[in-house]
């Protein structure tokens, strides 16, 4: 149940990523932007996949109608493509408060709920699960706490909308244990480490995240999401050494 994110080789094209990681990992979460958009190469490899929808420069909470429309369009396209490649799930970001949006928090949250409802309907059409990712400590980011995340998922109320639990992000907000109360909604789990002060995506064991909690998530799809491939291999060994 342990996979790896293509984040570890962002500078390489997807074929090179797959050639490198598949001898060690049988599941890959593809970040569907940048160098990793040539998804057709997946058909030549024997691995299972999940997708991470585009997030750079996008915002499903935007008050700017053009940006909102483009954000929904790109994420919806990823959801549609996910069905083609039998992706297990699609990770999506929850959006953020723009400088203008900070002055209209309730309006922005309403836009977020409407956006996620739209995306959940698209996911239902394709029979693909979505996982909204909890965010690290940073004032403009949404879904940093279990309460906010839980309230949002329950408000949208779709069996096709769940959570991507990012344990490293939760370590920066001091909420790793509390997020486990939302385990029933988790469709993907991102694993990486940090020292609690920034979202550094270190190898497992190189920070202070309480990784003992991984034992409670062994039945979930675990994705090692680190910045460099050697750290992904190191993290996998860390988990194996502890029988996770």
């Amino acid at each position: 149940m342990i996979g790896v994110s293509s984040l570890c080789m962002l500078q390489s094209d997807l074929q090179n990523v797959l050639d490198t990681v598949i001898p060690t990992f049988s599941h890959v979460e593809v970040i569907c932007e940048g160098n990793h958009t040539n998804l057709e190469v997946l058909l030549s490899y024997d691995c299972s996949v999940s997708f991470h929808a585009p997030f750079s420069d996008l915002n499903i909470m935007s008050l700017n109608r053009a940006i909102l429309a483009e954000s929904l369009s790109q994420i919806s396209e990823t959801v549609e493509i996910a069905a083609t490649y039998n992706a297990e799930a699609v990770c999506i970001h929850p959006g953020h408060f723009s400088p203008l949006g900070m002055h209209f928090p309730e309006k922005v949250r309403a836009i977020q709920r409407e956006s996620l409802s739209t995306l959940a309907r698209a996911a239902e059409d394709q029979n693909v699960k979505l996982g909204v990712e909890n965010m690290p400590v940073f004032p403009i980011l949404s879904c940093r706490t279990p309460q906010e995340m839980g309230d949002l998922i329950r408000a949208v109320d779709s069996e096709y909308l769940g959570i991507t639990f990012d344990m490293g992000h939760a370590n920066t907000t001091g909420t790793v244990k509390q997020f486990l109360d939302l385990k029933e909604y988790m469709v993907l789990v991102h694993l990486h480490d940090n020292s609690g002060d920034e979202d550094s995506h270190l190898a497992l064991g190189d920070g202070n995240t309480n990784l003992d909690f991984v034992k409670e998530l062994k039945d979930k799809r675990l994705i090692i999401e680190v910045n460099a491939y050697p750290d992904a291999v190191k993290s996998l060994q860390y988990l194996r050494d502890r029988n996770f």
Side-chain angles (χ1 to χ4, degrees):
M1 298 290 284
I2 302 174
V4 65
S5 168
S6 67
L7 173 70
C8 67
M9 295 182 64
L10 277 184
Q11 304 300 321
S12 301
D13 64 35
L14 186 55
Q15 183 171 347
N16 189 29
V17 173
L18 298 171
D19 286 340
T20 301
V21 308
I22 284 180
T24 302
F25 295 91
S26 60
H27 181 92
V28 181
E29 182 171 288
V30 180
I31 296 181
C32 300
E33 61 179 8
N35 290 326
H36 300 168
T37 57
N38 54 325
L39 300 175
E40 63 277 1
V41 303
L42 291 170
L43 298 175
S44 301
Y45 293 86
D46 183 20
C47 66
S48 59
V49 297
S50 51
F51 285 171
H52 194 309
F55 56 92
S56 299
D57 306 314
L58 304 181
N59 185 10
I60 64 169
M61 297 169 64
S62 181
L63 291 170
N64 183 309
R65 293 181 181 179
I67 291 175
L68 179 62
E70 182 61 25
S71 300
L72 292 173
S73 174
Q74 290 196 28
I75 297 171
S76 295
E77 182 179 353
T78 303
V79 172
E80 293 172 7
I81 294 173
T84 301
Y85 295 99
N86 296 314
E88 293 182 1
V90 178
C91 172
I92 60 176
H93 279 199
H96 59 272
F97 292 90
S98 67
L100 179 62
M102 295 287 284
H103 295 277
F104 301 94
E106 293 310 314
K107 186 173 183 179
V108 167
R109 289 190 180 96
I111 292 172
Q112 179 188 46
R113 290 191 296 271
E114 183 177 348
S115 293
L116 289 174
S117 294
T118 297
L119 294 171
R121 288 193 295 272
E124 182 175 6
D125 289 343
Q126 302 299 328
N127 196 30
V128 174
K129 290 289 184 71
L130 302 181
V132 181
E133 187 173 8
N134 60 296
M135 293 288 101
V137 59
F138 198 69
I140 69 170
L141 298 180
S142 174
C143 293
R144 291 174 290 160
T145 68
Q147 180 175 348
E148 183 181 4
M149 177 67 85
D151 288 347
L152 180 61
I153 297 300
R154 287 186 282 266
V156 177
D157 190 26
S158 168
E159 63 178 298
Y160 290 89
L161 185 71
I163 295 171
T164 297
F165 173 51
D166 191 300
M167 187 172 284
H169 290 174
N171 191 52
T172 70
T173 59
T175 57
V176 173
K177 182 178 180 180
Q178 295 90 322
F179 260 105
L180 295 182
D181 291 338
L182 299 174
K183 179 181 175 181
E184 65 182 291
Y185 299 108
M186 294 178 187
V187 296
L188 296 167
V189 176
H190 287 172
L191 298 177
H192 52 95
D193 212 341
N194 58 64
S195 297
D197 54 348
E198 63 177 331
D199 183 29
S200 43
H201 286 259
L202 302 177
L204 299 182
D206 284 0
N208 63 14
T209 305
N210 187 345
L211 296 168
D212 288 341
F213 289 118
V214 177
K215 295 176 183 178
E216 300 185 37
L217 300 169
K218 290 179 68 173
D219 60 331
K220 303 296 183 181
R221 170 60 75 187
L222 306 177
I223 307 291
I224 296 171
E225 192 187 46
V226 292
N227 287 325
Y229 184 61
D231 284 346
V233 176
K234 179 179 178 180
S235 298
L236 180 61
Q237 191 60 51
Y238 179 95
L239 296 174
R240 286 175 172 171
D241 288 345
R242 290 155 181 81
N243 296 315
F244 285 174

